[in-house]
Amino acid sequence: YGEWIEIVRPESLRSDTPLTQRNENWKVISRGEAWFALGPRLSNDDLDRFQKAAVAVLGERDPRFELPKEERFAASVKGKVLKHSQAIREGIAETLALLGSRPGALATCSQGKAELSALLTVRALLANADWIAWASIDSHLPMLAEAAPAEFLTCVEAALLEPATSPFNAIFAQEGSGITGSNHMTGLLWALETLAWHPDHLVRVTMILGELAAIDPGGNWSNRPQNSLGDIFLPWHFQTCAPLAKRKSAVETLLREQPAVGWKLLLDLLPQMHSATSGNRKPAWRDFIRPDWPSAVTNREYAEQVAVYAALAVEAAATDMSRLAELIDRLPDLPGPAHTRVLEHLVSPSVLGLTETSRVILWEALADLAAKHRKFSDAQWALPPEAVTKIEEVAAKIA
């Protein structure tokens, strides 16, 4: 190592140096350029050795999970630390992502060898993994997802086959509160958000997030599967390159397989007074996002999406009185056609013929909405008087 440092240190002093070091941790400044420049020097044997090393390093079980979750903040003090440094683990994970996403740089390796090495490594790390294995590698999951997207999704789906015994239940249970608390699902959510950018992965990612949301007990951390779903499909800042037809198909599939999660997603996608997002993780090495991908959503695109999601919401609520009552509360947010459709459905024979117990829920929701907008008629958000009158007429017919 000393001899190597003597050779490389002068290189770091060049004006155009490819290397940098901080606290004796050496890094390549432009990893992508170095990958294509040095890739032809690698052989099949190199990849075989790297694959074995990657499984050994990233597959190490984090000793801090031997401690109660309340004591894990002091894991380093108690000697419960990983054998290999975070820098080495990050470098290996990123190299796996490069193997899977940019195999063309390895010109002297057999065709398909780079992708296969990445795939087999991901499979060895995640197939049949328990909760400690998933939690130990959490921060590196986004890179593993880029290394072998299809294999990564297959491993996550397998871990969710039996929701009651899924290892993710135990990971959710590790979440702590306060400044010493931690969340070990963030890496998985970021990995899924990354893959959602590609149209081919959107439906699978949506279903996985829906299944995770269904078993999520909730907590203090904002990184939650339901929030990731909302961010992916946000009409005013959607974070997937999938066309609207594909997005609609994904939401319909979620509604069918996970009705409660899908309904909450639809309500989140309807227009509302206040909405914010910090943005989803973007691929570091995969070319999932087109260079010409627009950074902003046009008014027309926004209106088209809201119309689609509103129509799905009306359809999903048609035979469910509790959902219909929720949708009545959101009537001011609905675009014109969906707004009219809801009111027409409320005075249809299928609704007026319901029992009084069922209808009273709808009547109360309509009466409360009308009273609110009558009381604050001068507010900017208030419905026009004629719209309030229409709501009152529908309430009277239900009564």
Tab-separated table of all heavy atoms in Angstrom, residues 344-399:
chain	number	residue	atom	x	y	z
A	344	GLU	N	-74.975	13.503	-10.214
A	344	GLU	CA	-75.975	12.721	-10.947
A	344	GLU	C	-76.117	11.325	-10.357
A	344	GLU	O	-77.225	10.780	-10.264
A	344	GLU	CB	-75.592	12.638	-12.427
A	344	GLU	CG	-75.730	13.953	-13.176
A	344	GLU	CD	-75.213	13.854	-14.598
A	344	GLU	OE1	-74.555	12.842	-14.924
A	344	GLU	OE2	-75.455	14.791	-15.388
A	345	HIS	N	-74.988	10.746	-9.941
A	345	HIS	CA	-75.036	9.411	-9.346
A	345	HIS	C	-75.777	9.428	-8.005
A	345	HIS	O	-76.496	8.478	-7.669
A	345	HIS	CB	-73.618	8.875	-9.156
A	345	HIS	CG	-73.563	7.528	-8.481
A	345	HIS	ND1	-74.033	6.378	-9.075
A	345	HIS	CD2	-73.100	7.156	-7.249
A	345	HIS	CE1	-73.868	5.358	-8.253
A	345	HIS	NE2	-73.310	5.805	-7.142
A	346	LEU	N	-75.649	10.517	-7.265
A	346	LEU	CA	-76.284	10.607	-5.948
A	346	LEU	C	-77.804	10.640	-6.022
A	346	LEU	O	-78.487	10.304	-5.049
A	346	LEU	CB	-75.765	11.839	-5.203
A	346	LEU	CG	-74.316	11.764	-4.705
A	346	LEU	CD1	-73.851	13.125	-4.202
A	346	LEU	CD2	-74.168	10.712	-3.613
A	347	VAL	N	-78.349	11.059	-7.160
A	347	VAL	CA	-79.812	11.080	-7.302
A	347	VAL	C	-80.300	9.971	-8.233
A	347	VAL	O	-81.455	9.994	-8.671
A	347	VAL	CB	-80.288	12.464	-7.833
A	347	VAL	CG1	-80.007	13.542	-6.811
A	347	VAL	CG2	-79.613	12.803	-9.165
A	348	SER	N	-79.436	9.011	-8.515
A	348	SER	CA	-79.832	7.873	-9.343
A	348	SER	C	-80.641	6.885	-8.517
A	348	SER	O	-80.562	6.871	-7.274
A	348	SER	CB	-78.591	7.184	-9.915
A	348	SER	OG	-77.817	6.610	-8.873
A	349	PRO	N	-81.458	6.039	-9.156
A	349	PRO	CA	-82.267	5.053	-8.424
A	349	PRO	C	-81.431	4.141	-7.515
A	349	PRO	O	-81.882	3.740	-6.447
A	349	PRO	CB	-82.941	4.260	-9.547
A	349	PRO	CG	-82.996	5.209	-10.698
A	349	PRO	CD	-81.745	6.027	-10.604
A	350	SER	N	-80.187	3.832	-7.958
A	350	SER	CA	-79.357	2.930	-7.156
A	350	SER	C	-78.997	3.523	-5.800
A	350	SER	O	-78.807	2.789	-4.824
A	350	SER	CB	-78.069	2.587	-7.927
A	350	SER	OG	-77.325	3.760	-8.188
A	351	VAL	N	-78.924	4.868	-5.718
A	351	VAL	CA	-78.615	5.521	-4.446
A	351	VAL	C	-79.887	5.867	-3.685
A	351	VAL	O	-79.996	5.622	-2.478
A	351	VAL	CB	-77.763	6.796	-4.678
A	351	VAL	CG1	-77.581	7.569	-3.369
A	351	VAL	CG2	-76.400	6.427	-5.258
A	352	LEU	N	-80.882	6.419	-4.380
A	352	LEU	CA	-82.124	6.807	-3.706
A	352	LEU	C	-82.884	5.594	-3.173
A	352	LEU	O	-83.705	5.724	-2.267
A	352	LEU	CB	-83.015	7.594	-4.670
A	352	LEU	CG	-82.457	8.948	-5.135
A	352	LEU	CD1	-83.434	9.633	-6.068
A	352	LEU	CD2	-82.136	9.843	-3.943
A	353	GLY	N	-82.598	4.421	-3.729
A	353	GLY	CA	-83.262	3.213	-3.259
A	353	GLY	C	-82.573	2.544	-2.085
A	353	GLY	O	-83.038	1.513	-1.586
A	354	LEU	N	-81.480	3.130	-1.595
A	354	LEU	CA	-80.762	2.554	-0.455
A	354	LEU	C	-81.556	2.757	0.831
A	354	LEU	O	-82.466	3.584	0.902
A	354	LEU	CB	-79.384	3.210	-0.322
A	354	LEU	CG	-78.371	2.943	-1.447
A	354	LEU	CD1	-77.157	3.845	-1.286
A	354	LEU	CD2	-77.949	1.475	-1.466
A	355	THR	N	-81.169	2.032	1.862
A	355	THR	CA	-81.816	2.192	3.162
A	355	THR	C	-81.491	3.559	3.728
A	355	THR	O	-80.502	4.203	3.345
A	355	THR	CB	-81.323	1.115	4.146
A	355	THR	OG1	-79.916	1.293	4.362
A	355	THR	CG2	-81.579	-0.288	3.595
A	356	GLU	N	-82.328	3.995	4.682
A	356	GLU	CA	-82.115	5.310	5.275
A	356	GLU	C	-80.769	5.383	5.985
A	356	GLU	O	-80.099	6.420	5.967
A	356	GLU	CB	-83.248	5.619	6.251
A	356	GLU	CG	-83.185	7.024	6.832
A	356	GLU	CD	-84.413	7.361	7.651
A	356	GLU	OE1	-85.523	7.203	7.145
A	356	GLU	OE2	-84.217	7.764	8.819
A	357	THR	N	-80.354	4.278	6.602
A	357	THR	CA	-79.065	4.238	7.303
A	357	THR	C	-77.914	4.545	6.351
A	357	THR	O	-76.962	5.249	6.701
A	357	THR	CB	-78.853	2.859	7.954
A	357	THR	OG1	-79.946	2.579	8.816
A	357	THR	CG2	-77.551	2.830	8.742
A	358	SER	N	-78.004	4.008	5.136
A	358	SER	CA	-76.947	4.249	4.150
A	358	SER	C	-77.018	5.670	3.604
A	358	SER	O	-76.001	6.336	3.422
A	358	SER	CB	-77.063	3.247	2.998
A	358	SER	OG	-76.903	1.924	3.465
A	359	ARG	N	-78.250	6.149	3.350
A	359	ARG	CA	-78.406	7.468	2.734
A	359	ARG	C	-78.053	8.605	3.687
A	359	ARG	O	-77.631	9.677	3.255
A	359	ARG	CB	-79.841	7.632	2.228
A	359	ARG	CG	-80.085	6.924	0.904
A	359	ARG	CD	-81.482	7.184	0.375
A	359	ARG	NE	-82.485	6.519	1.206
A	359	ARG	CZ	-83.540	7.125	1.736
A	359	ARG	NH1	-83.711	8.422	1.530
A	359	ARG	NH2	-84.415	6.450	2.464
A	360	VAL	N	-78.240	8.374	4.990
A	360	VAL	CA	-77.993	9.466	5.936
A	360	VAL	C	-76.523	9.890	5.927
A	360	VAL	O	-76.200	11.060	6.132
A	360	VAL	CB	-78.447	9.073	7.360
A	360	VAL	CG1	-77.488	8.059	7.980
A	360	VAL	CG2	-78.552	10.308	8.250
A	361	ILE	N	-75.637	8.947	5.670
A	361	ILE	CA	-74.203	9.274	5.593
A	361	ILE	C	-73.959	10.264	4.455
A	361	ILE	O	-73.239	11.266	4.607
A	361	ILE	CB	-73.367	7.999	5.380
A	361	ILE	CG1	-73.552	7.020	6.543
A	361	ILE	CG2	-71.894	8.333	5.196
A	361	ILE	CD1	-72.888	5.673	6.312
A	362	LEU	N	-74.611	9.994	3.315
A	362	LEU	CA	-74.437	10.865	2.150
A	362	LEU	C	-75.103	12.222	2.374
A	362	LEU	O	-74.553	13.263	2.014
A	362	LEU	CB	-75.015	10.184	0.907
A	362	LEU	CG	-74.463	8.791	0.593
A	362	LEU	CD1	-75.156	8.208	-0.637
A	362	LEU	CD2	-72.957	8.836	0.387
A	363	TRP	N	-76.295	12.189	2.966
A	363	TRP	CA	-77.014	13.447	3.220
A	363	TRP	C	-76.221	14.366	4.149
A	363	TRP	O	-76.106	15.557	3.911
A	363	TRP	CB	-78.387	13.134	3.837
A	363	TRP	CG	-79.128	14.390	4.210
A	363	TRP	CD1	-79.843	15.193	3.389
A	363	TRP	CD2	-79.184	14.978	5.510
A	363	TRP	NE1	-80.359	16.271	4.090
A	363	TRP	CE2	-79.965	16.160	5.398
A	363	TRP	CE3	-78.675	14.643	6.758
A	363	TRP	CZ2	-80.225	16.983	6.489
A	363	TRP	CZ3	-78.935	15.473	7.839
A	363	TRP	CH2	-79.707	16.633	7.704
A	364	GLU	N	-75.660	13.791	5.211
A	364	GLU	CA	-74.873	14.589	6.152
A	364	GLU	C	-73.658	15.209	5.463
A	364	GLU	O	-73.323	16.376	5.705
A	364	GLU	CB	-74.432	13.732	7.341
A	364	GLU	CG	-75.561	13.386	8.300
A	364	GLU	CD	-75.083	12.486	9.436
A	364	GLU	OE1	-73.993	11.890	9.295
A	364	GLU	OE2	-75.788	12.374	10.444
A	365	ALA	N	-72.978	14.415	4.608
A	365	ALA	CA	-71.800	14.932	3.914
A	365	ALA	C	-72.174	16.090	2.986
A	365	ALA	O	-71.486	17.118	2.935
A	365	ALA	CB	-71.127	13.814	3.123
A	366	LEU	N	-73.291	15.957	2.266
A	366	LEU	CA	-73.745	17.019	1.372
A	366	LEU	C	-74.178	18.261	2.153
A	366	LEU	O	-73.847	19.392	1.781
A	366	LEU	CB	-74.901	16.511	0.506
A	366	LEU	CG	-74.525	15.520	-0.603
A	366	LEU	CD1	-75.779	14.837	-1.142
A	366	LEU	CD2	-73.777	16.226	-1.723
A	367	ALA	N	-74.946	18.041	3.236
A	367	ALA	CA	-75.433	19.172	4.040
A	367	ALA	C	-74.274	19.940	4.664
A	367	ALA	O	-74.263	21.177	4.680
A	367	ALA	CB	-76.384	18.662	5.111
A	368	ASP	N	-73.286	19.214	5.180
A	368	ASP	CA	-72.121	19.869	5.789
A	368	ASP	C	-71.343	20.664	4.750
A	368	ASP	O	-70.881	21.789	5.019
A	368	ASP	CB	-71.212	18.830	6.440
A	368	ASP	CG	-71.821	18.222	7.690
A	368	ASP	OD1	-72.791	18.794	8.208
A	368	ASP	OD2	-71.319	17.163	8.142
A	369	LEU	N	-71.175	20.087	3.555
A	369	LEU	CA	-70.428	20.773	2.502
A	369	LEU	C	-71.141	22.049	2.078
A	369	LEU	O	-70.514	23.122	1.954
A	369	LEU	CB	-70.257	19.838	1.300
A	369	LEU	CG	-69.492	20.411	0.105
A	369	LEU	CD1	-68.044	20.708	0.488
A	369	LEU	CD2	-69.546	19.448	-1.081
A	370	ALA	N	-72.459	21.952	1.884
A	370	ALA	CA	-73.226	23.138	1.471
A	370	ALA	C	-73.196	24.217	2.548
A	370	ALA	O	-73.017	25.407	2.247
A	370	ALA	CB	-74.663	22.735	1.153
A	371	ALA	N	-73.360	23.818	3.801
A	371	ALA	CA	-73.349	24.790	4.897
A	371	ALA	C	-72.008	25.503	4.998
A	371	ALA	O	-71.942	26.717	5.240
A	371	ALA	CB	-73.677	24.080	6.206
A	372	LYS	N	-70.931	24.753	4.818
A	372	LYS	CA	-69.586	25.342	4.891
A	372	LYS	C	-69.402	26.415	3.823
A	372	LYS	O	-68.890	27.511	4.094
A	372	LYS	CB	-68.546	24.235	4.730
A	372	LYS	CG	-67.109	24.716	4.666
A	372	LYS	CD	-66.161	23.536	4.437
A	372	LYS	CE	-64.730	24.007	4.293
A	372	LYS	NZ	-63.815	22.875	4.026
A	373	HIS	N	-69.831	26.103	2.593
A	373	HIS	CA	-69.613	27.056	1.503
A	373	HIS	C	-70.610	28.212	1.540
A	373	HIS	O	-70.333	29.285	0.989
A	373	HIS	CB	-69.665	26.312	0.164
A	373	HIS	CG	-68.430	25.512	-0.105
A	373	HIS	ND1	-67.385	25.975	-0.856
A	373	HIS	CD2	-68.049	24.280	0.332
A	373	HIS	CE1	-66.422	25.065	-0.901
A	373	HIS	NE2	-66.804	24.016	-0.186
A	374	ARG	N	-71.772	28.012	2.187
A	374	ARG	CA	-72.680	29.134	2.406
A	374	ARG	C	-72.110	30.098	3.446
A	374	ARG	O	-72.146	31.312	3.290
A	374	ARG	CB	-74.042	28.616	2.895
A	374	ARG	CG	-74.908	27.963	1.844
A	374	ARG	CD	-75.481	28.958	0.880
A	374	ARG	NE	-76.429	28.325	-0.032
A	374	ARG	CZ	-76.740	28.814	-1.210
A	374	ARG	NH1	-76.179	29.936	-1.648
A	374	ARG	NH2	-77.615	28.192	-1.984
A	375	LYS	N	-71.553	29.514	4.501
A	375	LYS	CA	-71.038	30.325	5.603
A	375	LYS	C	-69.846	31.165	5.167
A	375	LYS	O	-69.690	32.320	5.583
A	375	LYS	CB	-70.661	29.422	6.778
A	375	LYS	CG	-70.163	30.174	7.995
A	375	LYS	CD	-69.885	29.214	9.148
A	375	LYS	CE	-69.390	29.957	10.395
A	375	LYS	NZ	-69.121	29.020	11.520
A	376	PHE	N	-68.991	30.570	4.332
A	376	PHE	CA	-67.775	31.282	3.909
A	376	PHE	C	-67.871	31.626	2.414
A	376	PHE	O	-66.910	31.430	1.666
A	376	PHE	CB	-66.541	30.431	4.178
A	376	PHE	CG	-66.350	30.080	5.630
A	376	PHE	CD1	-66.739	28.831	6.108
A	376	PHE	CD2	-65.808	30.994	6.520
A	376	PHE	CE1	-66.563	28.499	7.449
A	376	PHE	CE2	-65.627	30.664	7.853
A	376	PHE	CZ	-66.012	29.414	8.328
A	377	SER	N	-69.008	32.130	2.012
A	377	SER	CA	-69.250	32.388	0.590
A	377	SER	C	-68.306	33.436	0.001
A	377	SER	O	-68.099	33.475	-1.211
A	377	SER	CB	-70.703	32.835	0.387
A	377	SER	OG	-70.970	34.013	1.158
A	378	ASP	N	-67.753	34.308	0.860
A	378	ASP	CA	-66.846	35.337	0.357
A	378	ASP	C	-65.397	34.871	0.290
A	378	ASP	O	-64.520	35.636	-0.139
A	378	ASP	CB	-66.939	36.588	1.228
A	378	ASP	CG	-66.627	36.300	2.700
A	378	ASP	OD1	-66.684	35.107	3.088
A	378	ASP	OD2	-66.349	37.254	3.451
A	379	ALA	N	-65.135	33.651	0.716
A	379	ALA	CA	-63.762	33.121	0.662
A	379	ALA	C	-63.389	32.777	-0.780
A	379	ALA	O	-64.244	32.437	-1.606
A	379	ALA	CB	-63.633	31.883	1.543
A	380	GLN	N	-62.097	32.847	-1.065
A	380	GLN	CA	-61.632	32.594	-2.424
A	380	GLN	C	-61.884	31.149	-2.847
A	380	GLN	O	-62.114	30.868	-4.023
A	380	GLN	CB	-60.135	32.934	-2.518
A	380	GLN	CG	-59.590	32.881	-3.937
A	380	GLN	CD	-58.135	33.317	-4.006
A	380	GLN	OE1	-57.533	33.624	-2.989
A	380	GLN	NE2	-57.590	33.366	-5.204
A	381	TRP	N	-61.856	30.235	-1.876
A	381	TRP	CA	-62.007	28.818	-2.200
A	381	TRP	C	-63.468	28.373	-2.253
A	381	TRP	O	-63.766	27.237	-2.617
A	381	TRP	CB	-61.277	27.960	-1.153
A	381	TRP	CG	-61.580	28.333	0.284
A	381	TRP	CD1	-60.826	29.119	1.087
A	381	TRP	CD2	-62.729	27.956	1.061
A	381	TRP	NE1	-61.407	29.260	2.321
A	381	TRP	CE2	-62.580	28.548	2.334
A	381	TRP	CE3	-63.853	27.169	0.818
A	381	TRP	CZ2	-63.515	28.381	3.358
A	381	TRP	CZ3	-64.784	27.000	1.835
A	381	TRP	CH2	-64.621	27.610	3.084
A	382	ALA	N	-64.387	29.234	-1.910
A	382	ALA	CA	-65.797	28.860	-1.828
A	382	ALA	C	-66.381	28.590	-3.214
A	382	ALA	O	-66.022	29.226	-4.211
A	382	ALA	CB	-66.601	29.957	-1.139
A	383	LEU	N	-67.307	27.620	-3.276
A	383	LEU	CA	-68.000	27.306	-4.521
A	383	LEU	C	-68.960	28.431	-4.879
A	383	LEU	O	-69.466	29.132	-3.999
A	383	LEU	CB	-68.795	25.998	-4.365
A	383	LEU	CG	-67.994	24.698	-4.325
A	383	LEU	CD1	-68.905	23.538	-3.917
A	383	LEU	CD2	-67.346	24.408	-5.676
A	384	PRO	N	-69.250	28.629	-6.150
A	384	PRO	CA	-70.237	29.640	-6.552
A	384	PRO	C	-71.610	29.310	-5.964
A	384	PRO	O	-71.923	28.139	-5.734
A	384	PRO	CB	-70.251	29.532	-8.084
A	384	PRO	CG	-69.005	28.807	-8.447
A	384	PRO	CD	-68.642	27.948	-7.306
A	385	PRO	N	-72.443	30.303	-5.722
A	385	PRO	CA	-73.764	30.078	-5.124
A	385	PRO	C	-74.598	29.061	-5.892
A	385	PRO	O	-75.296	28.229	-5.290
A	385	PRO	CB	-74.410	31.466	-5.146
A	385	PRO	CG	-73.243	32.416	-5.130
A	385	PRO	CD	-72.174	31.749	-5.917
A	386	GLU	N	-74.545	29.100	-7.236
A	386	GLU	CA	-75.350	28.160	-8.015
A	386	GLU	C	-74.892	26.718	-7.810
A	386	GLU	O	-75.701	25.784	-7.810
A	386	GLU	CB	-75.314	28.519	-9.505
A	386	GLU	CG	-73.936	28.564	-10.139
A	386	GLU	CD	-73.262	29.922	-10.038
A	386	GLU	OE1	-73.680	30.730	-9.180
A	386	GLU	OE2	-72.311	30.165	-10.817
A	387	ALA	N	-73.554	26.514	-7.609
A	387	ALA	CA	-73.045	25.171	-7.346
A	387	ALA	C	-73.499	24.680	-5.973
A	387	ALA	O	-73.840	23.499	-5.792
A	387	ALA	CB	-71.521	25.157	-7.440
A	388	VAL	N	-73.515	25.590	-4.975
A	388	VAL	CA	-73.985	25.228	-3.639
A	388	VAL	C	-75.476	24.882	-3.675
A	388	VAL	O	-75.932	23.929	-3.035
A	388	VAL	CB	-73.712	26.367	-2.642
A	388	VAL	CG1	-74.232	25.994	-1.256
A	388	VAL	CG2	-72.226	26.688	-2.590
A	389	THR	N	-76.242	25.645	-4.455
A	389	THR	CA	-77.676	25.373	-4.591
A	389	THR	C	-77.907	23.984	-5.171
A	389	THR	O	-78.795	23.237	-4.711
A	389	THR	CB	-78.333	26.436	-5.498
A	389	THR	OG1	-78.167	27.723	-4.918
A	389	THR	CG2	-79.817	26.145	-5.683
A	390	LYS	N	-77.096	23.591	-6.161
A	390	LYS	CA	-77.217	22.266	-6.766
A	390	LYS	C	-76.949	21.177	-5.733
A	390	LYS	O	-77.657	20.159	-5.676
A	390	LYS	CB	-76.233	22.153	-7.939
A	390	LYS	CG	-76.299	20.834	-8.685
A	390	LYS	CD	-77.622	20.627	-9.380
A	390	LYS	CE	-77.622	19.355	-10.201
A	390	LYS	NZ	-78.951	19.095	-10.829
A	391	ILE	N	-75.958	21.387	-4.898
A	391	ILE	CA	-75.636	20.412	-3.850
A	391	ILE	C	-76.799	20.303	-2.864
A	391	ILE	O	-77.174	19.202	-2.433
A	391	ILE	CB	-74.329	20.816	-3.137
A	391	ILE	CG1	-73.141	20.674	-4.089
A	391	ILE	CG2	-74.109	19.972	-1.880
A	391	ILE	CD1	-71.847	21.220	-3.544
A	392	GLU	N	-77.393	21.434	-2.504
A	392	GLU	CA	-78.533	21.427	-1.579
A	392	GLU	C	-79.733	20.704	-2.185
A	392	GLU	O	-80.461	19.991	-1.481
A	392	GLU	CB	-78.903	22.866	-1.211
A	392	GLU	CG	-77.855	23.544	-0.334
A	392	GLU	CD	-78.112	25.026	-0.146
A	392	GLU	OE1	-78.778	25.630	-1.011
A	392	GLU	OE2	-77.634	25.578	0.867
A	393	GLU	N	-79.931	20.853	-3.496
A	393	GLU	CA	-81.033	20.144	-4.151
A	393	GLU	C	-80.818	18.635	-4.118
A	393	GLU	O	-81.775	17.870	-3.884
A	393	GLU	CB	-81.146	20.630	-5.596
A	393	GLU	CG	-81.638	22.060	-5.739
A	393	GLU	CD	-81.568	22.561	-7.172
A	393	GLU	OE1	-81.058	21.797	-8.032
A	393	GLU	OE2	-82.022	23.685	-7.432
A	394	VAL	N	-79.614	18.217	-4.340
A	394	VAL	CA	-79.307	16.780	-4.279
A	394	VAL	C	-79.506	16.263	-2.855
A	394	VAL	O	-80.075	15.177	-2.645
A	394	VAL	CB	-77.860	16.528	-4.762
A	394	VAL	CG1	-77.462	15.069	-4.517
A	394	VAL	CG2	-77.707	16.878	-6.227
A	395	ALA	N	-79.072	17.035	-1.874
A	395	ALA	CA	-79.255	16.630	-0.461
A	395	ALA	C	-80.740	16.501	-0.125
A	395	ALA	O	-81.145	15.570	0.590
A	395	ALA	CB	-78.584	17.646	0.462
A	396	ALA	N	-81.539	17.408	-0.647
A	396	ALA	CA	-82.980	17.357	-0.376
A	396	ALA	C	-83.616	16.106	-0.970
A	396	ALA	O	-84.493	15.487	-0.345
A	396	ALA	CB	-83.647	18.613	-0.940
A	397	LYS	N	-83.209	15.719	-2.154
A	397	LYS	CA	-83.746	14.505	-2.784
A	397	LYS	C	-83.353	13.258	-1.986
A	397	LYS	O	-84.153	12.330	-1.838
A	397	LYS	CB	-83.255	14.397	-4.226
A	397	LYS	CG	-83.850	15.443	-5.159
A	397	LYS	CD	-83.354	15.280	-6.583
A	397	LYS	CE	-83.971	16.320	-7.493
A	397	LYS	NZ	-83.501	16.184	-8.900
A	398	ILE	N	-82.114	13.239	-1.492
A	398	ILE	CA	-81.686	12.093	-0.667
A	398	ILE	C	-82.462	12.058	0.637
A	398	ILE	O	-82.883	10.998	1.112
A	398	ILE	CB	-80.169	12.154	-0.418
A	398	ILE	CG1	-79.400	11.902	-1.715
A	398	ILE	CG2	-79.759	11.142	0.640
A	398	ILE	CD1	-77.914	11.969	-1.567
A	399	ALA	N	-82.723	13.233	1.222
A	399	ALA	CA	-83.482	13.308	2.465
A	399	ALA	C	-84.915	12.808	2.252
A	399	ALA	O	-85.497	12.175	3.127
A	399	ALA	CB	-83.475	14.738	2.984
